[in-house]
Amino acid sequence: MRWLPTFLSLAALPLGWAAKSSSSADRFQTYHSQALSSSPLKLADSTYRKLTSAPRDYSVAVLLTALDAKYGCQLCGIFQPEWDILAKSWIKGDKAGDSRLILSTLDFTDGRETFMSLGLQTAPVLLLFQPTTGPHAVSSPEPLRYDFANGAPTADVVREWLVRHLSDRPHPAIYRPVNYARWVVTIVSLLGAAGVIFKASPYILPVIQSRNVWAGLSLIGILLFTSGHMFNQIRKVPYVAGDGRGGISYFAGGFQSQYGLETQIVAFIYGLLSFATISLALKAPRTQDSHVQQIMVIAWGVVMTVMYSYLLSVFRVKNGGYPFRLPPFM
């Protein structure tokens, strides 16, 4: 009869394994049923230990966070709505629990012991516990950790991370709730804007249909871009620079570089030359008084000469070999 205890021990092993398997399945059904009514599942220290204990034939995603304002975790508050959307979407698309995944949240207020046992100094932390038994079991029992280094991710980004580690099972899609308040605000704003435009149309239409307005806007755009504005935006050039003698240099030498103030000066020169040309071509001929007309022609002629002379001097600063000169800037 000495072999009887040994035989009973061996016979009890399958029963023990079956009991553990049954316990894991019961745990999943219990917490999955709770998640159906409230997801993500709110945990405490005790429920965290029970839910993540091995053996388990299911996966658990736990967000360890600190939402209380006294902890000052801005990232926690930003990410929490996205986590809620993901959890509610997942349970909505997987009511039968075919994915064998439970999404849960453990706040620092309810899980101080867990935070201390894990050695966590920051939040949020997202852990994914993989199954230790069953068809989806993994070799390592250690949980996977999501990297929040790039800030708060969206629900779609976290879902993709979960999908990569939860193969061969359903992956419910994200369902974002309709923001009715936003729709109402948008519709009311559009109706208000339409009403304002309708009431102000007798005053706005003449301005919009004015050729002078469009000509002025076109001229401003031409002067802005021909003076090098886009070059400054692309290259991020400095506004001015030192000349090496304690002074300020307004113009950069060479045609491959320029300063911000240089662009404004060149645009002003081009604008003044354009205005002088337009005045001589359109305003002066329409002036009835010959004496005023003569003064206008002489004045704008002097402005054009002086400004064009200064423009040539700027060209010589950009390129020392530029051959053309015009008084007074020789």
Side-chain angles (χ1 to χ4, degrees):
M1 299 296 290
R2 295 178 179 178
W3 52 267
L4 184 59
T6 305
F7 175 77
L8 292 176
S9 300
L10 294 174
L13 287 177
L15 297 176
W17 292 335
K20 290 182 178 179
S21 176
S22 176
S23 175
S24 176
D26 292 342
R27 264 186 292 146
F28 176 78
Q29 290 300 329
T30 299
Y31 289 111
H32 179 72
S33 299
Q34 296 177 11
L36 287 173
S37 58
S38 178
S39 186
L41 202 62
K42 301 298 187 293
L43 303 180
D45 284 323
S46 58
T47 50
Y48 171 85
R49 288 191 294 268
K50 185 176 181 181
L51 184 61
T52 59
S53 63
R56 58 181 178 273
D57 63 346
Y58 56 89
S59 302
V60 184
V62 183
L63 175 65
L64 297 107
T65 186
L67 296 175
D68 198 311
K70 65 183 179 182
Y71 302 126
C73 181
Q74 296 182 354
L75 188 59
C76 298
I78 295 173
F79 177 63
Q80 189 62 41
E82 293 295 313
W83 179 247
D84 292 341
I85 289 174
L86 174 60
K88 288 178 172 58
S89 300
W90 197 283
I91 199 66
K92 181 179 180 180
D94 185 32
K95 293 182 178 180
D98 295 331
S99 66
R100 308 293 291 174
L101 173 67
I102 295 176
L103 290 93
S104 57
T105 302
L106 177 60
D107 194 276
F108 180 74
T109 304
D110 304 317
R112 293 175 180 270
E113 294 181 8
T114 302
F115 273 75
M116 294 176 63
S117 64
L118 295 174
L120 299 179
Q121 301 294 328
T122 60
V125 174
L126 178 57
L127 301 177
L128 176 61
F129 293 84
Q130 298 277 53
T132 58
T133 60
H136 304 295
V138 296
S139 57
S140 175
E142 295 299 321
L144 302 174
R145 182 167 176 170
Y146 183 83
D147 186 8
F148 284 91
N150 296 324
T154 63
D156 302 88
V157 174
V158 178
R159 177 187 175 275
E160 292 177 2
W161 179 73
L162 291 174
V163 168
R164 288 198 302 269
H165 299 291
L166 302 175
S167 57
D168 302 328
R169 65 192 83 179
H171 305 121
I174 299 293
Y175 297 97
R176 291 190 177 273
V178 178
N179 191 341
Y180 294 103
R182 182 177 180 181
W183 275 99
V184 171
V185 170
T186 301
I187 293 173
V188 172
S189 301
L190 291 175
L191 292 175
V196 171
I197 293 173
F198 178 77
K199 286 293 185 180
S201 58
Y203 309 99
I204 297 176
L205 285 177
V207 176
I208 296 176
Q209 296 173 349
S210 174
R211 291 186 299 175
N212 292 332
V213 171
W214 287 106
L217 293 176
S218 300
L219 184 59
I220 292 173
I222 292 170
L223 295 175
L224 184 67
F225 291 108
T226 56
S227 61
H229 174 74
M230 288 307 300
F231 182 93
N232 294 347
Q233 296 299 314
I234 296 172
R235 297 291 185 89
K236 306 297 181 183
V237 300
Y239 190 67
V240 293
D243 60 0
R245 300 186 297 272
I248 298 176
S249 177
Y250 301 104
F251 299 96
F255 292 113
Q256 299 300 319
S257 61
Q258 64 184 25
Y259 301 138
L261 183 58
E262 174 184 340
T263 300
Q264 297 175 6
I265 294 173
V266 172
F268 174 77
I269 296 172
Y270 285 159
L272 197 54
L273 288 173
S274 301
F275 190 75
T277 303
I278 293 172
S279 298
L280 287 174
L282 300 178
K283 296 292 183 180
R286 298 176 183 176
T287 304
Q288 300 297 326
D289 192 329
S290 60
H291 183 67
V292 175
Q293 187 183 62
Q294 184 179 12
I295 294 175
M296 184 181 295
V297 171
I298 294 174
W300 285 119
V302 171
V303 170
M304 288 187 66
T305 302
V306 172
M307 296 310 299
Y308 192 68
S309 173
Y310 183 68
L311 184 61
L312 294 180
S313 69
V314 172
F315 287 166
R316 289 197 301 274
V317 172
K318 302 293 290 182
N319 183 6
Y322 191 75
F324 301 105
R325 300 170 182 269
L326 185 68
F329 296 97
M330 298 294 291

